[in-house]
Every structure is written in C-alpha cells, then in structure tokens.
Amino acid sequence: MKITRVTPLPLRCRSANGPMTFFVVRIETDDGLVGHGESCDCFGVSYPAVHAAVVRDAFAPRLVGRELTAVAPLVDELRRATRRELGESWASAQARSAVEIALWDLVGQQAGRSVSAILGRVRDSIPVYAGSSPFLDDHDAAFHLERLSPMLERGVRHVKLRTGPAPDRAVDVLADLRSLLGRDIEIMVDASESLDLPTTARLTDRMAELDVRWLEEPLLQSRHTAMAAAASRSRVPIAAGEHLFSTEEALAALTAREISVVQPDPCISGGIAEALQIAGLAAGFGARAVLHYHAGLVGLAAVLQVAASAPGVDLLEYPVHLDTVLRTQSGGDEFGISSVVDGRLALPDRPGLGVSPLEDVLSESLLA
C-alpha cells in the first residue's frame, strides 16, 4: 500500500457555542483507500493553518510515495526529521498526531479490522463525563444544571466545569451546583492553567469539601516546580494531559508527582500509540488514566480506539457543545449525545477508525 496524497484540511464548523476551527488530514493510497486523522490543541485547533503548513511543508513530502507497512517507523521518521527545526511538542506534535491517526485508519481498513482489534481490544463501551465549557463564575448554578441536563438524562454520572476570571465566585457557584446535583454525581473542575499557587491552595481546600474528584491544570503545565508544589499541597488530585506531548513528558510529570490523574489525547500527544503508552504509565505511579477529547468526529473516533485498547482507562471526556459538530460531520446521531446510553458510549469496531466523515461536509467547512 503506497501513499499517493496527503491533504491538510483546516476547517471551521459550528458548535453549540458558536463557530470553532478544527484540523483534519486526509491520506490516500494507490489501492483507493482513504484515511483520516485529526489534531487538537485543547479546544479544537485555534490555528489550523499552522497545522496545515506543518503537514504540507514538513510531513507530506516525506510520506508521498512511501509504502505503508507499519505506522511506527514512518511516524518516528517524521519526528526525528523535524525535531531540530520544529521541536517535538506543541504544533509539531499535534500535527504529527493527525498524520499518525490517519495512517492507523489506513492500516485498519486494509486489514479489515478496527484499530483497537489490531492493538488488542479490551472493551466495547466506556463511561463518559459531561464537559461543560461556560465558566462557572459567569452564570448561576441553575444555568449550569440546564447545560448538563441532556447528559444527566442519558445516565451520565460524571461532570466537569470550568473556572474563569473570578475563581472564588466559581467555587461559590460550584457549591450551589453540588447542592442541586447531590453527592451521587462526580464533579471535576478545569482551571485551564489560569491560577497561581496561593489561589490553587485556597480553592482546593474549598473544593475538597465539595468532593471534587480532580482539579485540572491549575497552573501552566510547563511550570513543573509550581505544579509539583501545588500537587503536594492540594487536598484534591491534580490532573493534566492536554499539554503533555509525549510519553517522556508524561513520565516526567508523573515521576515529579505533579499529577495523579493523567489525561492522554491521541490528537495531541503524538497519536494513538503514544496515547496508549501514556495511559499505560498511570498504574505504575498509582495514578488514574482518563482520556481527554475536544476535537471533531475523526478525533473522537481516535480517542474511542484508544479507550477500546487501554485496560487502565476508566473514563472519557465528552464536551456537551460538540454534539452539533459530531452530528454534522457524521450525518447522523451515532456519536451525538443521543448515542450515550446509561452513561456509556459504544466503541466502534468497524475497519480502521470506524467512522467516515462526510466529504461534502469537510469540503463545505474548509477555511479559505
């Protein structure tokens, strides 16, 4: 199977929160197969043209004309060939993730098996948690409960909310929301790297009383000493993953006790194989492995293949506002909120990633 074309696709699609930008790569082969991959930089892709340039200028020339017999050697070659000029993290790793996922999609299609079946499938469904993007401090508890209700009605028992510019106010609202939800629903909080050490210490004391299961990225993930200090002081487990771009970076964070919940994402950390390795590290450190997700249909398919293959993973993120994107790109409800049953999402077992994004939708969504 020879690679004949690599096409970067920077996209704009409408979510329930308004327009979002994404990045997908399409790889074609001489036997007529088409594979798709997707990258993410935490919230869709803020600068999809940057990812497109990396794929077009750095990766595609090294892929076109090559035989695809195994994914890892090609991806490692891309990494080694560009690391001195582009680095191994951030946009380089994210764009490389999209390519790696597309290559796995092709390998699975050629074999007539899902990626997870090739890697070793361990489950057919996984619990999800509802991710809600509006800041806690911008609205009252009733507003947030209404945003979460479609998922709660589908049996979801885990929710995550975000702090904004007024974090103390956010925890006040969180306390009201805890009263509305009761103690049977697990609550997590994402600070999006917006706090400092004193604020983190103060808020985690309050969050512990509300039985918050983790605080995600209270500080810049790259501030390793500060992250370790926050974790040592916090009464709430500290989580991170969407700014860990390799197994090496995840290992360093776990070894330094910066985090006790690791959140790999194949659209960020170098691809499916790298995300599996990161998830596999957790048990050795007594940490929890939970999958991050905040992309489109192809990205969700990649995350689901990891979920199906990673024994230690016990939960998957499902951002509520992406329901619109998923239904639009798939042309149906298979991956929308209505597909969540008893709080769980089924893991596709069709060849490759198990999804086929509508090509006309991708074409209509292309950024100029």
Side-chain angles (χ1 to χ4, degrees):
M1 177 167 56
K2 183 177 291 186
I3 296 170
T4 57
R5 181 178 297 176
V6 178
T7 306
L9 302 171
L11 307 173
R12 177 180 285 113
C13 304
R14 179 164 291 278
S15 76
N17 288 350
M20 288 180 61
T21 47
F22 300 87
F23 178 73
V24 169
V25 64
R26 180 196 298 125
I27 300 181
E28 300 169 52
T29 67
D30 61 350
D31 55 5
L33 295 179
V34 179
H36 292 90
E38 185 167 9
S39 60
C40 175
D41 67 4
C42 303
F43 199 88
V45 173
S46 299
Y47 303 101
V50 174
H51 289 204
V54 172
V55 170
R56 182 187 64 244
D57 298 341
F59 295 160
R62 292 179 168 87
L63 291 171
V64 173
R66 301 291 296 276
E67 290 287 340
L68 174 56
T69 56
V71 174
L74 284 180
V75 174
D76 187 56
E77 181 179 323
L78 297 181
R79 181 175 180 171
R80 288 185 288 105
T82 59
R83 62 188 176 189
R84 285 178 61 85
E85 297 81 12
L86 299 177
E88 294 186 319
S89 301
W90 300 99
S92 176
Q94 293 155 356
R96 191 173 66 250
S97 299
V99 170
E100 194 259 16
I101 291 165
L103 294 176
W104 271 115
D105 191 18
L106 288 167
V107 167
Q109 289 181 50
Q110 186 187 51
R113 304 173 69 197
S114 67
V115 173
S116 55
I118 294 172
L119 294 171
R121 192 173 174 91
V122 298
R123 61 172 66 88
D124 295 317
S125 68
I126 190 167
V128 300
Y129 71 83
S132 184
S133 56
F135 292 142
L136 278 162
D137 32 309
D138 281 349
H139 306 278
D140 62 16
F143 170 89
H144 293 291
L145 181 61
E146 183 178 357
R147 290 274 300 195
L148 294 168
S149 289
M151 295 289 279
L152 297 173
E153 291 167 1
R154 305 296 301 176
V156 171
R157 314 306 291 168
H158 320 265
V159 301
K160 186 177 77 176
L161 300 110
R162 300 172 67 211
T163 62
D168 288 285
R169 160 68 179 160
V171 181
D172 292 339
V173 175
L174 188 66
D176 294 338
L177 183 61
R178 169 56 86 192
S179 297
L180 295 176
L181 290 172
R183 291 281 172 170
D184 292 336
I185 302 296
E186 286 193 2
I187 294 178
M188 293 78 75
V189 176
D190 187 348
S192 302
E193 300 185 312
S194 64
L195 307 179
D196 56 25
L197 271 172
T199 305
T200 300
R202 184 175 69 252
L203 295 188
T204 51
D205 282 345
R206 296 183 63 194
M207 289 179 185
E209 300 303 319
L210 299 173
D211 196 22
V212 170
R213 293 306 175 93
W214 75 66
L215 174 61
E216 186 171 329
E217 293 194 323
L219 307 154
L220 285 171
Q221 178 61 42
S222 58
R223 304 295 190 262
H224 301 294
T225 301
M227 282 288 288
S232 68
R233 168 65 176 78
S234 177
R235 294 170 57 197
V236 173
I238 300 299
E242 62 196 87
H243 291 105
L244 297 173
F245 301 104
S246 66
T247 303
E248 294 88 348
E249 291 187 17
L251 179 61
L254 287 163
T255 301
R257 301 296 180 184
E258 298 173 26
I259 56 176
S260 52
V261 180
V262 65
Q263 300 167 300
D265 184 333
C267 303
I268 292 174
S269 60
I272 289 171
E274 199 84 10
L276 277 170
Q277 290 184 54
I278 293 171
L281 291 174
F285 290 89
R288 186 178 183 184
V290 175
L291 293 177
H292 175 272
Y293 161 70
H294 213 123
L297 175 68
V298 175
L300 178 60
V303 173
L304 293 178
Q305 294 301 319
V306 174
S309 312
V313 167
D314 64 0
L315 199 59
L316 165 70
E317 181 172 12
Y318 190 105
V320 176
H321 64 278
L322 291 181
D323 169 74
T324 304
V325 175
L326 295 169
R327 289 188 291 107
T328 299
Q329 292 183 349
S330 68
D333 292 327
E334 181 180 4
F335 299 101
I337 288 175
S338 63
S339 66
V340 177
V341 178
D342 295 330
R344 304 178 72 91
L345 195 60
L347 306 175
D349 197 26
R350 296 183 293 274
L353 294 178
V355 303
S356 297
L358 296 177
E359 291 294 341
D360 58 336
V361 172
L362 295 182
S363 297
E364 293 167 3
S365 304
L366 273 176
L367 287 169

